[in-house]
């Protein structure tokens, strides 16, 4: 079972709330502690699955092509297998039997979960009968939200995501060409005004009922990038629990309006600069992986292809044992991880000349469990952390194609990785071959496998302390 702790997926520490049980009321911690999107810590250990039961949508976003899934909570350019609520319930049981990390069932399209509300709620109703301990989560554009808040509360859906890209309809008109509301179609500024009012009303109604609301915003350079500071303040005022700023992913081959007109997405450093600017506002989520509407597994991994309809047994019953054992194991591991992180923070307070020490960006390769436990050649993404005398903070992930598939590397992929690591000074990994090590070092990066299988935060802390040196009885020792 221990192996499950490090199987697949991302891990990091800063999406969702990076706070722990001591930083919030017990009832809130209870709601987020096993939710991989709402708790940065939980995403090391717990998995979500989405079921694609809601295909229709009531608005048009300029970053969406209807052929594909809802790009509000999903990477554009991928299509999910549509399911009926009955098929979805069967799939949830199959996944729960095989993936002990599973803690959350989300409905994130492939259209809007609340425009197709009958299918969404029917799915939750069916799943509830078999897995009473799974958490429910939905993602919506918010237009139909105010009409369904009571039903959301009735189904114990504690987590709702609303995609809010603007609070100014003039900016909205550059993102949404039309909406369909109350039996008619609206365009331009009027469409965005209605959408904005419904989003704010829905947000207020949810928070008034104690439902945790995460806001997703798609960062679109030149359109809403600066405006997202205002969005952050407005949603914070209305009680949003988290704000997740996601980069626009835009390419002509996706066939979206933005893709076709050449609207670009932000670079990783532009995204980081905006997130840094938002510090002090609504809590930021930085570990979003822009999942598919049929994603299965830890964030950053996608096991959806193991559970396609043709692979699901007709008759299936739920066996809770594996998930129960896994949870017990995670409790112990989490406590250990927290202790190691606290010790690392304490040690960092003694680094030399903290005021002069510039924060370093360190990338790690991990399969989950909060440890540096992945071979460089197998990494599909890097977790990036910032470290200085005040501590180690997760700041995001950088996607990179597998450098090494089948035991050999490809140089052009290595170039992609080096470009993706813009701003990063050090890579900590479980193992790396001589050839990629030399290439990274030639590009100015420091590489180390000295912390293999150790916790991420304590390794980064130890690396930083060793690099910068500590102040010991008035003397600096490095
Ligand atoms: Fe799914 Fe979204 Fe719920 Fe998470 S995803 S409905 S809140 S269970 Fe999470 Fe995926 Fe990012 Fe969404 S990483 S796209 S934020
Ligand atoms: Fe597409 Fe989602 Fe926008 Fe609807 S809400 S248009 S499905 S991105």
């Amino acid at each position: 079972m221990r192996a499950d702790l490090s199987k697949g997926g991302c891990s990091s520490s800063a999406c969702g709330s990076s706070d722990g049980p001591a930083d919030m009321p017990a009832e809130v911690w209870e709601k987020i502690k096993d939710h991989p999107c709402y708790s940065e810590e939980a995403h090391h250990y717990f998995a979500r699955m989405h079921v694609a039961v809601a295909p229709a949508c009531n608005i048009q976003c300029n970053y969406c092509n209807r052929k594909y899934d809802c790009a509000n909570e999903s990477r554009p350019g991928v299509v999910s297998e549509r399911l009926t609520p009955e098929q979805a319930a069967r799939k949830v049981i199959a996944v729960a039997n095989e993936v002990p990390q599973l803690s959350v069932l989300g409905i994130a399209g492939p259209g809007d979960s609340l425009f197709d509300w009958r299918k969404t709620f029917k799915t939750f109703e069916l799943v509830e009968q078999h897995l009473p301990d799974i958490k429910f989560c939905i993602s919506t554009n918010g237009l139909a939200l105010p009409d369904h808040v009571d039903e959301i509360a009735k189904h114990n859906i504690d987590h709702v995501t609303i995609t809010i890209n603007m609070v100014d309809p003039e900016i909205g008109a550059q993102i949404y060409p039309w909406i369909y509301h109350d039996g008619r179609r609206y365009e331009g500024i009027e469409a965005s005004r209605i959408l904005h009012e419904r989003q704010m009303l829905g947000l207020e109604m949810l928070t008034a009922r104690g439902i945790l609301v995460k806001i997703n915003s798609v960062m679109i350079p030149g359109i809403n990038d600066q405006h997202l500071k205002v969005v952050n303040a407005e949603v914070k005022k209305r009680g949003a629990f988290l704000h997740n700023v996601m980069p626009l992913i835009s390419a002509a081959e996706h066939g979206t309006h933005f893709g076709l007109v050449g609207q670009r997405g932000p670079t990783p450093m532009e995204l980081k600069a905006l997130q840094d600017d938002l510090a002090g506002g609504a809590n930021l989520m930085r570990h979003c992986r822009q999942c598919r509407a049929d994603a299965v597994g830890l964030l950053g991994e996608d096991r959806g292809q193991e559970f396609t309809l043709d692979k699901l047994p007709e008759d299936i019953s739920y066996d809770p044992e594996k998930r129960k054992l896994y949870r017990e194991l995670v409790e112990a591991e989490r406590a250990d991880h927290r202790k190691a992180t606290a010790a690392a923070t304490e040690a960092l307070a003694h680094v030399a000349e903290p005021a002069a020490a510039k924060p370093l960006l360190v990338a790690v390769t991990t399969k989950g469990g909060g440890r540096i436990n992945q071979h460089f050649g197998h990494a599909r993404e890097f977790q990036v952390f910032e470290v200085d005398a005040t501590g180690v903070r997760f700041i995001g992930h950088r996607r990179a194609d597998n450098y090494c598939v089948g035991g050999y590397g490809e140089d052009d992929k290595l170039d992609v990785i080096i470009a993706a690591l813009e701003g990063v000074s050090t890579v900590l990994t479980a193992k790396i071959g001589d050839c990629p090590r030399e290439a990274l070092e030639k590009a100015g990066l420091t590489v180390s496998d000295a912390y293999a299988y150790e916790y991420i935060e304590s390794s980064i802390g130890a690396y930083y302390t060793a690099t910068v040196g500590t102040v010991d009885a008035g003397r600096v020792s490095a």
Side-chain angles (χ1 to χ4, degrees):
M1 185 62 79
R2 179 161 289 273
D4 287 326
L5 282 172
S6 56
K7 217 194 267 172
C10 95
S11 39
S12 57
S13 55
C15 47
S17 170
S18 57
D19 297 344
D23 308 303
M24 66 188 77
E27 68 275 14
V28 175
W29 175 247
E30 201 45 45
K31 283 181 186 169
I32 70 160
K33 73 180 174 55
D34 299 343
H35 195 307
C37 304
Y38 281 69
S39 159
E40 180 188 317
E41 184 187 275
H43 103 287
H44 290 297
Y45 306 109
F46 289 102
R48 52 69 185 111
M49 72 174 288
H50 291 163
V51 285
V53 294
C57 190
N58 47 359
I59 70 173
Q60 178 64 57
C61 306
N62 276 335
Y63 46 73
C64 178
N65 176 350
R66 304 274 185 179
K67 235 170 64 190
Y68 303 123
D69 294 352
C70 177
N72 279 334
E73 180 91 354
S74 176
R75 280 193 298 282
V78 290
V79 193
S80 303
E81 187 176 57
R82 273 56 166 165
L83 303 177
T84 64
E86 290 72 17
Q87 290 168 332
R90 207 147 49 88
K91 180 169 174 174
V92 177
I93 296 171
V95 171
N97 285 344
E98 291 301 316
V99 181
Q101 299 97 329
L102 181 69
S103 64
V104 174
L105 168 64
I107 297 184
D112 186 71
S113 62
L114 291 178
F115 185 50
D116 255 344
W117 59 274
R118 288 186 184 82
K119 290 177 187 154
T120 295
F121 291 127
K122 179 71 184 169
T123 303
F124 287 136
E125 203 177 295
L126 292 173
V127 172
E128 220 165 10
Q129 294 165 11
H130 299 279
L131 280 96
D133 64 336
I134 196 165
K135 289 191 192 309
F136 292 151
C137 193
I138 57 173
S139 170
T140 175
N141 61 45
L143 183 59
L145 175 60
D147 303 333
H148 301 291
V149 171
D150 289 337
E151 194 76 3
I152 288 171
K154 196 179 107 194
H155 282 281
N156 288 323
I157 300 168
D158 283 333
H159 304 85
V160 175
T161 295
I162 315 171
T163 299
I164 300 181
N165 294 319
M166 53 85 200
V167 290
D168 174 348
E170 291 202 12
I171 292 177
Q174 299 172 62
I175 304 169
Y176 305 104
W178 58 261
I179 66 164
Y180 182 78
H181 176 59
D182 269 352
R184 64 166 277 215
R185 184 179 153 118
Y186 295 84
E187 296 181 356
I189 292 180
E190 192 182 12
S192 285
R193 183 186 52 74
I194 295 168
L195 178 63
H196 163 61
E197 287 169 3
R198 302 278 293 171
Q199 289 176 333
M200 294 297 126
L201 176 63
L203 168 58
E204 286 165 6
M205 290 172 77
L206 289 169
T207 54
R209 283 166 177 77
I211 295 168
L212 299 180
V213 185
K214 171 166 74 63
I215 305 302
N216 280 359
S217 298
V218 181
M219 179 183 177
I220 311 163
I223 293 185
N224 73 345
D225 47 347
Q226 291 310 309
H227 179 61
L228 287 179
K229 287 181 216 161
V230 185
V231 172
N232 183 279
E234 290 297 318
V235 301
K236 182 181 182 186
K237 206 158 70 188
R238 290 171 175 82
F241 183 72
L242 273 180
H243 191 193
N244 172 26
V245 178
M246 313 151 83
L248 171 74
I249 301 175
S250 181
E253 59 268 28
H254 298 151
T256 62
H257 172 76
F258 280 155
L260 294 171
V261 300
Q263 170 66 51
R264 72 172 181 94
T267 66
M269 291 310 277
E270 285 172 337
L271 178 65
K272 180 181 181 304
L274 175 61
Q275 289 171 331
D276 290 349
D277 248 18
L278 295 177
N283 264 340
L284 287 187
M285 170 180 188
R286 294 185 191 234
H287 61 285
C288 176
R289 296 300 191 282
Q290 291 171 282
C291 320
R292 298 171 56 126
D294 61 356
V296 173
L298 295 173
L299 304 191
E301 80 174 346
D302 192 356
R303 299 180 58 184
Q305 289 313 304
E306 295 171 41
F307 300 97
T308 49
L309 262 187
D310 56 312
K311 298 186 184 102
L312 299 182
E314 277 303 324
D315 276 325
I316 185 159
S317 57
Y318 174 51
D319 174 5
E321 204 48 29
K322 266 195 201 170
R323 287 178 71 231
K324 193 171 150 272
L325 285 175
Y326 180 76
R327 274 161 193 265
E328 287 167 11
L329 186 67
V330 163
E331 278 311 305
E333 181 80 2
R334 278 177 109 156
D336 202 32
H337 190 175
R338 264 183 222 144
K339 252 191 252 159
T341 303
T345 308
E346 161 64 21
L348 282 168
H350 303 288
V351 297
E353 300 175 40
K358 193 171 170 258
L360 284 188
L361 294 192
V362 179
V364 304
T365 58
T366 173
K367 292 191 283 181
R371 293 176 187 267
I372 299 168
N373 53 8
Q374 189 176 43
H375 192 298
F376 177 84
H378 298 153
R380 288 177 184 279
E381 65 173 29
F382 295 85
Q383 309 290 317
V384 179
F385 291 76
E386 186 171 63
V387 55
D388 58 21
T390 62
V392 182
R393 298 169 295 279
F394 173 81
I395 58 147
H397 69 284
R398 306 278 176 88
R399 286 182 63 81
D401 287 327
N402 255 6
Y403 167 65
C404 168
V405 180
Y408 55 88
E410 294 170 37
D411 288 345
D412 56 340
K413 285 189 180 159
L414 196 46
D415 290 342
V416 171
I417 289 172
I418 289 169
L421 292 176
E422 180 199 354
V424 169
S425 64
T426 305
V427 176
L428 302 183
T429 183
K431 199 166 182 212
I432 184 167
D434 290 341
C435 179
R437 179 193 287 271
E438 278 163 25
L440 291 181
E441 286 174 351
K442 211 168 141 201
L445 287 144
T446 304
V447 184
S448 172
D449 53 11
Y451 303 94
Y453 302 98
E454 299 294 332
Y455 285 125
I456 296 169
E457 291 85 350
S458 43
S459 302
I460 294 174
Y463 169 80
Y464 185 75
T465 307
T467 308
V468 178
T470 55
V471 176
D472 182 15
R475 299 176 55 144
V476 175
S477 57

